Amino acid sequence: MLPCAERVVASISRRLFRSYLSVSSRRRCNITAFMPEAAGFDGVSDRSTLQDFSVSNSEKFWAAAARHRLSWIRTFDAVRDCDLSRGKIKWFEGGKLNVSVNCLDRHVHTCPDKVALIWERDEPGSEVKVTYRELLDMTCRLGNLLRRRGVKRGDCVTIYMPPCPMAVASMLACARIGAAHNVVFAGFSAEALSERIRDAQSSTVITVNQGVRGGKLVELKKTVDEAVQSCPTVQQVFVATRTENPVLMAARDVALDEEMLKEDVVCEPEAMDSEDVLFLLYTSGSTGKPKGLVHTQAGYLLYAALTHRYVFSYQDGDVFGCVADIGWITGHSYTVYGPLANGGTTVLFESTPIYPDPGRYWEMVQRLKINQFYGAPTAIRLLLKYGDQWVRKYDRSTLKTLGSVGEPINTEAWEWYHTVVGDGRCPVVDTWWQTETGGICISPKPSDPDAEIIPGMAMRPFFGIKPVLMDTEGNVQSSSDTSGALCIAQPWPGMARTIHNNHQRFIETYCQPHPGYFFTGDGAYCSKEGYYQITGRLDDVINVSGHRIGTAEIEDVVNQCPVVAESAVIGYAHDIKGEGVFAFAVLKQGVDTQYGDVSQQLKDTVSKKIAKYASPDHIQFVKRLPKTRSGKIMRRVLRKIVEGDLEGLGDLSTLDDPTAVQEIIQGNSELC
Ligand code: WT7
């Protein structure tokens, strides 16, 4: 028997312990309702401890998520095996799974008639709904057709299609039979397409006869015909039908819809290794040709699924409306893979924000009862100029979360999105990420529903993400309220594994600048509260309407014009597009710059060789470019001149010929 005083203490401590238990199990219950796999995480009681846990116990976190969120054919042996300094990134090795089974079959077992896709066709009010059962059937028929036509595990199929169910089925059919896909944005020119087909060594291309966008027909099959002329690897082109108009079919062309009908609706899925390639996606770098970033199976799918659910607070039954084209990573992760892995309903938007009028998005939100809307700041800025009436006309009460992606969102656009589009009710999540990151890395959520969101700030890292800022000497900034080069300190499952056929370039671009860290190429500011704001690219990549393009790529094309001796391209602030393209060109001797059509000719050439969005808004002809004595073009000086900041030209002492700058200033004031 304990002495009296000790008994009292024991009984108090038991009571305290009991009440502690009940608080802790209550908290745990909340956190497991939020994320069931957190049940096994020691010391995790709320979202902020969950965030800490996901970073400091990253392996445990991702292993639990992978077991809980994915269906495996064989479970994995190791969670991760990474060495960022050597560009070695492997997740869930030993595991086998099939991405299409994860996106389709498992939902067909539980809810076959649930709508998987809502295809919002260009013609408003003509949407087509596709259930999980139907999408699985399409995918299997297409998978069987590809197999019968010789496409094998490990091959790479290029897809040149606008957003439509057949494009999604094509991606998933590749995944089903173990082929990688390479979706090329259907706005890219024949030359850009051909370069990507060649680099990916595709022998099969899938396209549609014609596209329809903003009420206009787009000759996609013709573009493919032109592109494959210089692609000796291409043996067959599958052509789906989007319009009634017949197109010329050559011997290598296969009528997709007809052939698919001959196939069975059962297609045995390949058991893929976690680290087999799921897809390549080309994006621009600061130098050289576009690079084919490689994403693999399990890690990518897991990251797309988890971010889709938590960043947007996606609930079962919600209709998710991501209006990005499937040709970009946003379309891959948040139109296709994330929502389908989560068994969601996802919208495929084929049109433009202003067709047939600037109310298109919001009329669609009303008609399709969209719950999460995810779009680009450039469209928001454009619509803002048309006025509130186009928004207010339609019922937007289904909206719960608004997302922004691809470029910085300025405060005015953010406020308008929040107050007018979202009626001040819906959180606006500004999401920062890249083709390289596979999914969202910094965004205001997941955090407690009432945690603050500051306009124009991407705010907080996602689970498992540890951002760091580097100073100019390459040291990690230890305090907050600083700016620096944005790096990520530890690997996460969604990150790209390599650049197709060029691992060395992968290492040089992302791993070597800050050894041991993943370097993003962006600058960022971290507030004293620890909130992040992206300040823009640190390299010669510019962002036009949320589309990424290397200035060197545009210069390459301009320089190829017979009249041009050399050129320099820069980005400048543009009201709607975020950044516009400004080109300076030195013409060869004897070419008359007075002809306006030289300028038009250069613009057309860039549209034709790359894509319309890359075409310069302005071209200034100059006698010479400002160069250092070692021959480097001083783009910094050109940017300042275009900004009109002549005071800020900076140190010109390394200039080879200072009169070049005066001439350009003079010419620029005449041009603008
Ligand atoms: C680059 C990545 C993110 C998928 C679509 C674009 C810029 C992206 C934001 C944002 C400010 C952003 C960055 C990044 N960017 N999101 N929320 N705020 N800038 O993917 O074509 O690979 O381009 O877009 O500069 O590096 P991407």
Side-chain angles (χ1 to χ4, degrees), residues 284 363 413 536:
S284 296
E363 185 273 325

Side-chain angles (χ1 to χ4, degrees), residues 4 16 22 45 54 129 138 237 291 322 335 362 435 466 539 555 606:
C4 183
L16 278 179
S22 66
S45 53
S54 72
K129 294 185 175 163
M138 278 172 84
V237 177
K291 45 199 175 187
C322 167
T335 304
W362 324 119
T435 307
K466 188 178 176 192
D539 53 15
E555 286 166 11
V606 177

Side-chain angles (χ1 to χ4, degrees), residues 330 405-408 430-435 522 537 543 548:
T330 311
V405 61
E407 44 169 333
D430 175 11
T431 61
W432 175 86
W433 59 297
Q434 317 175 292
T435 307
D522 279 318
R537 297 290 307 190
N543 195 322
R548 178 170 153 176

Side-chain angles (χ1 to χ4, degrees), residues 115-131:
V115 174
L117 309 175
I118 306 179
W119 181 23
E120 173 68 3
R121 294 168 9 121
D122 193 52
E123 305 86 348
S126 70
E127 73 273 12
V128 173
K129 294 185 175 163
V130 180
T131 65

Side-chain angles (χ1 to χ4, degrees), residues 311-312 374 377 402-410 414 417 427-433 440 442-445 453-460 532-534:
V311 169
F312 301 99
Y374 193 29
L402 298 171
S404 166
V405 61
E407 44 169 333
I409 178 162
N410 49 309
W414 195 101
Y417 203 23
V428 171
V429 292
D430 175 11
T431 61
W432 175 86
W433 59 297
I440 295 162
I442 307 183
S443 82
K445 281 173 169 260
I453 301 180
I454 298 169
M457 286 189 98
M459 308 289 293
R460 307 172 177 91
Y532 289 89
Q533 176 168 37
I534 310 304

Side-chain angles (χ1 to χ4, degrees), residues 557-558 561 563-564 587 592-608 612 615-621:
V557 171
V558 173
C561 297
V563 293
V564 173
L587 295 179
D592 193 344
T593 57
Q594 296 310 311
Y595 290 116
D597 53 79
V598 177
S599 176
Q600 195 53 47
Q601 197 189 322
L602 294 183
K603 291 180 186 178
D604 292 346
T605 310
V606 177
S607 304
K608 189 168 172 304
K612 269 210 189 93
S615 185
D617 301 276
H618 300 285
I619 299 182
Q620 184 181 341
F621 296 109

Side-chain angles (χ1 to χ4, degrees), residues 312-323:
F312 301 99
S313 311
Y314 184 83
Q315 303 291 313
D316 294 339
D318 284 349
V319 176
F320 192 78
C322 167
V323 289

